[in-house]
Amino acid sequence: MCGIVGYIGLNDAKEILLKGLEKLEYRGYDSAGIAVRNEEGVHVFKEKGRIADLRKIVDLSVTATTGIGHTRWATHGAPSQLNAHPHQSVSGRFTLVHNGVIENYEQLKKEYLLDVALQSDTDTEVIVQLVQIFSNEGLETEEAFRKTLNLLKGSYALALLDREAEETIFVAKNKSPLLVGLGEDFNVVASDAMAMLQVTDQFVELMDKEVVIVTKEQVTIKKLDGEVVERAPYTAELDASDIEKGTYAHYMMKEIDEQPLVMRKIIQAYQSDQGELTVDEEILAALNEADRLYVIACGTSYHAGLLGKQYLEKMAKIPTEVHVASEFVYNMPLLSANPLFIFISQSGETADSRAVLVKIKELGYKALTMTNVPGSTLSREADHTLLLHAGPEIAVASTKAYTAQVAVLAILANAAAQSRGGNLELNLVKELGIAANAMEVLCDTKDEFEQITRDYLSTTRNCFFIGRSIDFFVGLEGALKLKEISYIQAEGFAGGELKHGTIALIEDGTPVIALATQESVNLSIRGNVKEVAARGANPCIISMKGLEAEDDRFVIPEVHELLTPLVSIIPLQLIAYYAALHRDCDVDKPRNLAKSVTVE
Ligand code: M6R
């Protein structure tokens, strides 16, 4: 979703801002812009489309050492040059970029801006015009900014330039992520540390409802009431090479290939001196005190959560519910007496999940966040964090974060089971190692999946994924992968559920990808395949060694039956990848989607 960068220092701001925006491209956007300030004034360049389009219109002869930049993912107003950020106040004195949604912008327009000729359809423009109005009333810029912030309802990360305030960027945030980066003779602003790793690895977290005055020498953080806050910087532990594509054509393929390595990193990260996989004592205590776990997540992370429920109930015997965050927040179930909430989020910034976290914290409940991003909002605001150790995931379609989530959930459930004195027959270190090896085998068999994609998906407009038990949940994730990047309409179903309605959609040649990795349901899923084949479907069975049958299209290596999702998802990720590629879709940046969904 929208991304913000800012630079104030001694060097030319344009290139630093554009490079920063390129690093934020993965978040998803439809237009972009920068504004730079020099002694002549503020120069704004913005364009619909990609950063490459923006680069074409930036006037290289303008030099400036202060600037802000933005990638926009449209919410209020169509993607267009007019609605792209930065936005300026009518006098041109104030220039602003914004990430988030101002919920009361219509009301603010009516109350304060009836006489102002607004230039865009965005909620953002209201903010910059309000700053102008309060400044016209005689307030200093910082005060005018603060007064405006006090009126805003909703989420925002903001960076503001004042043509008349030499070399200052005014920054604020509420619910949307924003960091300040520190350097020698310069400072930067970024939605994500990745954007500014090019110049610094020292960052300061900002909290909601803080105002920050950034100059090239100093960063002053204040609360909305003006009280100054001291906060130490942290070192962003990101390797710049982690966020490069290297020899790969797409991040998605790089990230698919990284999965075996991620499994090994997770084993290392969670292995105790005794060689067992475990988690912090405090987390185990929180789990053991709970009478029910509530897993909250969205999209792919929700699909991982469905598997987490299997692990937590089967291994640790703790009753577990899994909820889609955007529903839970408005339709909360009757909670048990001692609930523990587990948030699963690759980015740690998903607004829907955060809304639940805020709500349950108000109710006094404890939360554990499982995330790939240390220091992310969901991590900071929860009581405990478990890291995924997957390394930066750049492609919008989540792959390695999903398998990392599944593995960490298995480790959590296994550790909880052990701490409860459960009799475990699963040697998780060994079994995860076997799964990592099996993942490697599949990553080395890519051509096979390219061929399967040609055979089954080259002309189709839809595709079904079926499975039973654990395979059903993997099918849901396979369908999400396929639809989000290839735009083929894809749905996952429980094998037994088809005949209760969906089988009506089966026509001659409809591709049905069936997973058969679970012994207990092997015969019944094969029965479901026969039912769809009898109605003309083109079934593609992906089974597991030991359970295979003659017509299976692919057989994955044998792994422990609870860990099959780590391996069986790889064919589905690869099929989605090749389907998108064959259809000339933008694999890493699918239309309408954002990597980090920071608005509800
Ligand atoms: O960062 P999160 O895990 O909280 O994101 C949740 C979903 O937006 C995300 O998993 C989305 O469904 C993926 N892009 C799908 O590949």
Side-chain angles (χ1 to χ4, degrees), residues 462-466 489-493 502 505-506 510-514:
N462 59 4
C463 176
F464 297 109
F465 291 78
I466 62 170
Q489 188 181 0
E491 297 305 332
F493 290 99
T502 311
L505 294 174
I506 301 293
T510 304
V512 176
I513 299 180

Side-chain angles (χ1 to χ4, degrees), residues 298-301 344-348 350 353 396-398 405 477 480-481 484 594-595 597:
C298 310
T300 289
S301 300
I344 308 180
S345 173
Q346 187 284 131
S347 62
T350 301
S353 298
V396 165
S398 185
Q405 286 163 345
E477 173 58 10
L480 177 60
K481 283 293 84 80
E484 74 175 322
K595 179 71 181 164
V597 184

Side-chain angles (χ1 to χ4, degrees), residues 55 63 69 146 148 243 345 397 403 420 593:
R55 273 189 179 279
T63 55
R146 200 186 301 282
T148 304
I243 55 175
S345 173
T403 42
R420 295 172 152 225
L593 289 176

Side-chain angles (χ1 to χ4, degrees), residues 154 173 180 183 252 258 272 294 305 312 329 332 376 388 398 436-437 445 461 553 587 594 600:
K173 79 156 232 113
V180 172
M252 183 179 176
E258 283 171 353
S272 70
Y294 293 83
L312 290 158
V329 74
M332 196 135 117
S376 56
L388 299 178
S398 185
N437 293 344
T445 324
R461 291 181 53 231
R553 184 59 203 259
V587 173
E600 278 179 59

Side-chain angles (χ1 to χ4, degrees), residues 210-279:
E210 286 179 342
V211 179
V212 190
I213 314 300
V214 184
T215 66
K216 66 176 184 297
E217 293 91 14
Q218 218 174 340
V219 171
T220 313
I221 306 175
K222 296 181 184 176
K223 292 190 182 161
L224 265 191
D225 62 10
E227 186 194 333
V228 174
V229 179
E230 297 297 334
R231 190 166 302 130
Y234 69 92
T235 305
E237 282 169 13
L238 279 171
D239 185 340
S241 68
D242 282 353
I243 55 175
E244 300 302 334
K245 264 203 298 245
T247 53
Y248 284 89
H250 301 99
Y251 281 107
M252 183 179 176
M253 186 56 99
K254 175 174 179 258
E255 289 161 6
I256 290 175
D257 270 352
E258 283 171 353
Q259 292 178 103
L261 183 65
V262 170
M263 286 303 113
R264 293 176 187 129
K265 280 193 182 161
I266 289 173
I267 296 174
Q268 235 173 34
Y270 285 100
Q271 200 160 22
S272 70
D273 294 343
Q274 290 70 41
E276 278 166 3
L277 295 174
T278 191
V279 300

Side-chain angles (χ1 to χ4, degrees), residues 290-294 313 318-321 335-336 338-341:
D291 60 355
R292 186 168 281 262
L293 304 175
Y294 293 83
E313 291 193 338
I318 313 177
T320 304
E321 292 181 21
L335 298 178
S336 65
N338 294 310
L340 174 71
F341 285 80

